[in-house]
Amino acid sequence: MNWCILIPLLVGAICALLGYLLGKLLSGGNGNAVSEDVYKNRIAKLEADLETCKSDKFSDINLYKNKITKLEADLQACKSSKSSGAGTAVSSFAAGVASVAKITFDADAAKAVFGKKIKQDDLTVVEGIGPKIKELFHTHDVKTWQALSQCSLEKCQEVLNSGGDRYKIHKPGTWPKQALLAFQGKWKELSDWQDKLDGGK
């Protein structure tokens, strides 16, 4: 084999390879320049978005400040109305309470449903409450249907417990609701419900 011919061919191949790699490297530099411009544009856009966000944030803060100022003014007006006793909100609330308190007892309507005379605020109308339990409630200052309707189950059980073991076994779960129906004069609804109850349970 003639080494004189092989060496120039090998050197030429190496030079061609180096030239190719050098050209690739130089063209890659231009690509990096393009990529750099893209990133610069993105950074500029993000900075602009940040400025917009900051300005929106401050406008939102101003909006909330205005709302807080208005609420504080309303609160102050409400406080001054309450202290002077002339607030319309307080007056309307008092009127609402008075209207609830003015629910009138209709003995005829109650008799028509139950077939017997019903006395106003007789707690024995509530199924499960007899004369002795009624006296226990009276002792605890629960003397009306309205008062019983506002008792929690814990309060009812406390009243029963005060009477001893004989009364602890009673289940007062429906008593406040029954008392409310009596207070509201919903006699038919009360009677229908009591037909489904077993000793007030």
Side-chain angles (χ1 to χ4, degrees):
M1 186 172 197
N2 193 350
W3 291 100
C4 293
I5 296 173
L6 189 59
I7 290 175
L9 286 176
L10 192 58
V11 170
I14 291 172
C15 287
L17 183 61
L18 286 174
Y20 173 77
L21 291 175
L22 187 60
K24 236 357 197 174
L25 184 64
L26 292 175
S27 66
N30 292 335
N32 287 341
V34 171
S35 297
E36 189 176 323
D37 288 340
V38 169
Y39 287 123
K40 281 182 180 177
N41 289 337
R42 281 187 186 172
I43 290 170
K45 184 177 183 310
L46 288 171
E47 286 175 343
D49 289 346
L50 179 61
E51 288 304 316
T52 304
C53 183
K54 282 181 179 177
S55 63
D56 287 347
K57 178 182 175 185
F58 286 119
S59 67
D60 287 346
I61 288 172
N62 289 331
L63 179 68
Y64 289 127
K65 280 182 179 177
N66 291 338
K67 284 185 178 180
I68 289 169
T69 303
K70 184 180 183 310
L71 288 171
E72 285 174 341
D74 290 346
L75 178 62
Q76 192 58 40
C78 183
K79 283 181 179 177
S80 62
S81 295
K82 181 181 176 185
S83 62
S84 66
T88 55
V90 174
S91 300
S92 63
F93 176 74
V97 170
S99 68
V100 170
K102 288 181 182 176
I103 293 177
T104 54
F105 169 64
D106 187 347
D108 293 333
K111 184 176 181 180
V113 172
F114 283 94
K116 63 180 181 179
K117 185 177 180 181
I118 303 292
K119 292 181 181 177
Q120 184 172 4
D121 290 322
D122 181 4
L123 299 185
T124 62
V125 167
V126 173
E127 184 169 337
I129 295 182
K132 297 286 186 185
I133 293 177
K134 178 182 84 169
E135 291 305 318
L136 285 176
F137 275 99
H138 283 191
T139 302
H140 287 80
D141 204 30
V142 178
K143 300 178 181 179
T144 65
W145 294 323
Q146 184 180 14
L148 179 55
S149 74
Q150 294 169 349
C151 282
S152 65
L153 295 183
E154 291 78 12
K155 170 73 174 176
C156 291
Q157 194 61 55
E158 180 185 320
V159 170
L160 291 171
N161 292 347
S162 71
D165 292 338
R166 183 177 175 187
Y167 298 100
K168 284 181 184 179
I169 60 171
H170 290 274
K171 303 293 181 190
T174 65
W175 295 357
K177 178 66 187 288
Q178 288 188 63
L180 179 63
L181 293 175
F183 172 65
Q184 294 172 336
K186 296 180 179 179
W187 302 113
K188 180 76 169 80
E189 188 176 337
L190 176 58
S191 177
D192 290 345
W193 190 26
Q194 286 181 343
D195 288 342
K196 300 173 187 174
L197 295 175
D198 179 17
K201 297 180 238 178

PDB file of all heavy atoms in Angstrom, residues 78-99:
ATOM      1  N   CYS A  78     -74.950  54.463  62.441  1.00  0.00           N
ATOM      2  CA  CYS A  78     -75.767  53.482  63.157  1.00  0.00           C
ATOM      3  C   CYS A  78     -75.559  53.621  64.662  1.00  0.00           C
ATOM      4  O   CYS A  78     -76.511  53.585  65.437  1.00  0.00           O
ATOM      5  CB  CYS A  78     -75.408  52.076  62.680  1.00  0.00           C
ATOM      6  SG  CYS A  78     -76.403  50.787  63.437  1.00  0.00           S
ATOM      7  N   LYS A  79     -74.300  53.789  65.080  1.00  0.00           N
ATOM      8  CA  LYS A  79     -74.008  53.940  66.507  1.00  0.00           C
ATOM      9  C   LYS A  79     -74.673  55.185  67.072  1.00  0.00           C
ATOM     10  O   LYS A  79     -75.250  55.163  68.156  1.00  0.00           O
ATOM     11  CB  LYS A  79     -72.500  54.011  66.729  1.00  0.00           C
ATOM     12  CG  LYS A  79     -71.805  52.670  66.651  1.00  0.00           C
ATOM     13  CD  LYS A  79     -70.313  52.839  66.914  1.00  0.00           C
ATOM     14  CE  LYS A  79     -69.582  51.500  66.861  1.00  0.00           C
ATOM     15  NZ  LYS A  79     -68.137  51.672  67.034  1.00  0.00           N
ATOM     16  N   SER A  80     -74.602  56.295  66.326  1.00  0.00           N
ATOM     17  CA  SER A  80     -75.193  57.533  66.830  1.00  0.00           C
ATOM     18  C   SER A  80     -76.712  57.416  66.888  1.00  0.00           C
ATOM     19  O   SER A  80     -77.347  57.910  67.803  1.00  0.00           O
ATOM     20  CB  SER A  80     -74.777  58.723  65.966  1.00  0.00           C
ATOM     21  OG  SER A  80     -75.249  58.551  64.646  1.00  0.00           O
ATOM     22  N   SER A  81     -77.311  56.698  65.909  1.00  0.00           N
ATOM     23  CA  SER A  81     -78.759  56.493  65.935  1.00  0.00           C
ATOM     24  C   SER A  81     -79.153  55.656  67.138  1.00  0.00           C
ATOM     25  O   SER A  81     -80.142  55.924  67.810  1.00  0.00           O
ATOM     26  CB  SER A  81     -79.223  55.789  64.649  1.00  0.00           C
ATOM     27  OG  SER A  81     -79.003  56.609  63.538  1.00  0.00           O
ATOM     28  N   LYS A  82     -78.340  54.638  67.414  1.00  0.00           N
ATOM     29  CA  LYS A  82     -78.636  53.757  68.543  1.00  0.00           C
ATOM     30  C   LYS A  82     -78.539  54.519  69.857  1.00  0.00           C
ATOM     31  O   LYS A  82     -79.387  54.389  70.725  1.00  0.00           O
ATOM     32  CB  LYS A  82     -77.663  52.577  68.546  1.00  0.00           C
ATOM     33  CG  LYS A  82     -77.903  51.592  69.663  1.00  0.00           C
ATOM     34  CD  LYS A  82     -76.896  50.476  69.599  1.00  0.00           C
ATOM     35  CE  LYS A  82     -77.071  49.533  70.797  1.00  0.00           C
ATOM     36  NZ  LYS A  82     -76.036  48.517  70.832  1.00  0.00           N
ATOM     37  N   SER A  83     -77.492  55.354  69.982  1.00  0.00           N
ATOM     38  CA  SER A  83     -77.305  56.072  71.240  1.00  0.00           C
ATOM     39  C   SER A  83     -78.378  57.126  71.451  1.00  0.00           C
ATOM     40  O   SER A  83     -78.788  57.395  72.561  1.00  0.00           O
ATOM     41  CB  SER A  83     -75.918  56.721  71.279  1.00  0.00           C
ATOM     42  OG  SER A  83     -75.803  57.666  70.240  1.00  0.00           O
ATOM     43  N   SER A  84     -78.877  57.727  70.350  1.00  0.00           N
ATOM     44  CA  SER A  84     -79.907  58.752  70.496  1.00  0.00           C
ATOM     45  C   SER A  84     -81.286  58.140  70.647  1.00  0.00           C
ATOM     46  O   SER A  84     -82.235  58.803  71.031  1.00  0.00           O
ATOM     47  CB  SER A  84     -79.898  59.682  69.279  1.00  0.00           C
ATOM     48  OG  SER A  84     -80.296  58.965  68.127  1.00  0.00           O
ATOM     49  N   GLY A  85     -81.398  56.848  70.288  1.00  0.00           N
ATOM     50  CA  GLY A  85     -82.690  56.176  70.405  1.00  0.00           C
ATOM     51  C   GLY A  85     -83.638  56.532  69.285  1.00  0.00           C
ATOM     52  O   GLY A  85     -84.824  56.237  69.355  1.00  0.00           O
ATOM     53  N   ALA A  86     -83.131  57.173  68.230  1.00  0.00           N
ATOM     54  CA  ALA A  86     -84.005  57.614  67.148  1.00  0.00           C
ATOM     55  C   ALA A  86     -83.725  56.906  65.848  1.00  0.00           C
ATOM     56  O   ALA A  86     -84.181  57.325  64.799  1.00  0.00           O
ATOM     57  CB  ALA A  86     -83.838  59.131  66.952  1.00  0.00           C
ATOM     58  N   GLY A  87     -82.943  55.843  65.879  1.00  0.00           N
ATOM     59  CA  GLY A  87     -82.579  55.141  64.635  1.00  0.00           C
ATOM     60  C   GLY A  87     -83.772  54.441  64.025  1.00  0.00           C
ATOM     61  O   GLY A  87     -84.534  53.769  64.709  1.00  0.00           O
ATOM     62  N   THR A  88     -83.940  54.595  62.726  1.00  0.00           N
ATOM     63  CA  THR A  88     -85.077  53.957  62.059  1.00  0.00           C
ATOM     64  C   THR A  88     -84.936  52.449  62.058  1.00  0.00           C
ATOM     65  O   THR A  88     -85.927  51.728  62.142  1.00  0.00           O
ATOM     66  CB  THR A  88     -85.202  54.463  60.611  1.00  0.00           C
ATOM     67  OG1 THR A  88     -83.954  54.241  59.949  1.00  0.00           O
ATOM     68  CG2 THR A  88     -85.529  55.928  60.562  1.00  0.00           C
ATOM     69  N   ALA A  89     -83.684  51.957  61.968  1.00  0.00           N
ATOM     70  CA  ALA A  89     -83.486  50.506  61.977  1.00  0.00           C
ATOM     71  C   ALA A  89     -83.906  49.920  63.307  1.00  0.00           C
ATOM     72  O   ALA A  89     -84.577  48.883  63.357  1.00  0.00           O
ATOM     73  CB  ALA A  89     -82.022  50.185  61.701  1.00  0.00           C
ATOM     74  N   VAL A  90     -83.550  50.599  64.391  1.00  0.00           N
ATOM     75  CA  VAL A  90     -83.930  50.126  65.718  1.00  0.00           C
ATOM     76  C   VAL A  90     -85.436  50.170  65.875  1.00  0.00           C
ATOM     77  O   VAL A  90     -86.063  49.249  66.405  1.00  0.00           O
ATOM     78  CB  VAL A  90     -83.246  50.982  66.809  1.00  0.00           C
ATOM     79  CG1 VAL A  90     -83.745  50.599  68.189  1.00  0.00           C
ATOM     80  CG2 VAL A  90     -81.734  50.835  66.726  1.00  0.00           C
ATOM     81  N   SER A  91     -86.065  51.237  65.356  1.00  0.00           N
ATOM     82  CA  SER A  91     -87.519  51.378  65.460  1.00  0.00           C
ATOM     83  C   SER A  91     -88.227  50.273  64.703  1.00  0.00           C
ATOM     84  O   SER A  91     -89.195  49.689  65.186  1.00  0.00           O
ATOM     85  CB  SER A  91     -87.965  52.737  64.910  1.00  0.00           C
ATOM     86  OG  SER A  91     -87.360  53.754  65.653  1.00  0.00           O
ATOM     87  N   SER A  92     -87.744  49.985  63.473  1.00  0.00           N
ATOM     88  CA  SER A  92     -88.396  48.952  62.673  1.00  0.00           C
ATOM     89  C   SER A  92     -88.219  47.578  63.324  1.00  0.00           C
ATOM     90  O   SER A  92     -89.118  46.744  63.289  1.00  0.00           O
ATOM     91  CB  SER A  92     -87.851  48.938  61.249  1.00  0.00           C
ATOM     92  OG  SER A  92     -86.488  48.608  61.247  1.00  0.00           O
ATOM     93  N   PHE A  93     -87.049  47.337  63.924  1.00  0.00           N
ATOM     94  CA  PHE A  93     -86.831  46.070  64.613  1.00  0.00           C
ATOM     95  C   PHE A  93     -87.796  45.936  65.795  1.00  0.00           C
ATOM     96  O   PHE A  93     -88.415  44.892  66.001  1.00  0.00           O
ATOM     97  CB  PHE A  93     -85.385  45.981  65.105  1.00  0.00           C
ATOM     98  CG  PHE A  93     -85.104  44.741  65.908  1.00  0.00           C
ATOM     99  CD1 PHE A  93     -84.996  43.513  65.277  1.00  0.00           C
ATOM    100  CD2 PHE A  93     -84.976  44.800  67.283  1.00  0.00           C
ATOM    101  CE1 PHE A  93     -84.743  42.362  66.011  1.00  0.00           C
ATOM    102  CE2 PHE A  93     -84.735  43.656  68.017  1.00  0.00           C
ATOM    103  CZ  PHE A  93     -84.611  42.438  67.375  1.00  0.00           C
ATOM    104  N   ALA A  94     -87.952  47.024  66.559  1.00  0.00           N
ATOM    105  CA  ALA A  94     -88.868  47.007  67.700  1.00  0.00           C
ATOM    106  C   ALA A  94     -90.299  46.760  67.238  1.00  0.00           C
ATOM    107  O   ALA A  94     -91.059  46.034  67.881  1.00  0.00           O
ATOM    108  CB  ALA A  94     -88.777  48.332  68.458  1.00  0.00           C
ATOM    109  N   ALA A  95     -90.661  47.357  66.097  1.00  0.00           N
ATOM    110  CA  ALA A  95     -92.008  47.153  65.561  1.00  0.00           C
ATOM    111  C   ALA A  95     -92.216  45.703  65.167  1.00  0.00           C
ATOM    112  O   ALA A  95     -93.286  45.124  65.375  1.00  0.00           O
ATOM    113  CB  ALA A  95     -92.239  48.068  64.358  1.00  0.00           C
ATOM    114  N   GLY A  96     -91.159  45.099  64.597  1.00  0.00           N
ATOM    115  CA  GLY A  96     -91.244  43.686  64.206  1.00  0.00           C
ATOM    116  C   GLY A  96     -91.428  42.792  65.415  1.00  0.00           C
ATOM    117  O   GLY A  96     -92.241  41.862  65.397  1.00  0.00           O
ATOM    118  N   VAL A  97     -90.701  43.068  66.488  1.00  0.00           N
ATOM    119  CA  VAL A  97     -90.834  42.282  67.716  1.00  0.00           C
ATOM    120  C   VAL A  97     -92.231  42.436  68.293  1.00  0.00           C
ATOM    121  O   VAL A  97     -92.862  41.471  68.731  1.00  0.00           O
ATOM    122  CB  VAL A  97     -89.773  42.723  68.754  1.00  0.00           C
ATOM    123  CG1 VAL A  97     -90.045  42.093  70.108  1.00  0.00           C
ATOM    124  CG2 VAL A  97     -88.386  42.352  68.269  1.00  0.00           C
ATOM    125  N   ALA A  98     -92.741  43.666  68.248  1.00  0.00           N
ATOM    126  CA  ALA A  98     -94.075  43.918  68.783  1.00  0.00           C
ATOM    127  C   ALA A  98     -95.140  43.161  68.003  1.00  0.00           C
ATOM    128  O   ALA A  98     -96.083  42.617  68.571  1.00  0.00           O
ATOM    129  CB  ALA A  98     -94.366  45.422  68.756  1.00  0.00           C
ATOM    130  N   SER A  99     -94.967  43.089  66.668  1.00  0.00           N
ATOM    131  CA  SER A  99     -95.961  42.388  65.853  1.00  0.00           C
ATOM    132  C   SER A  99     -95.963  40.896  66.149  1.00  0.00           C
ATOM    133  O   SER A  99     -97.004  40.254  66.157  1.00  0.00           O
ATOM    134  CB  SER A  99     -95.712  42.631  64.367  1.00  0.00           C
ATOM    135  OG  SER A  99     -94.511  42.009  63.966  1.00  0.00           O
TER     136      SER A  99
END
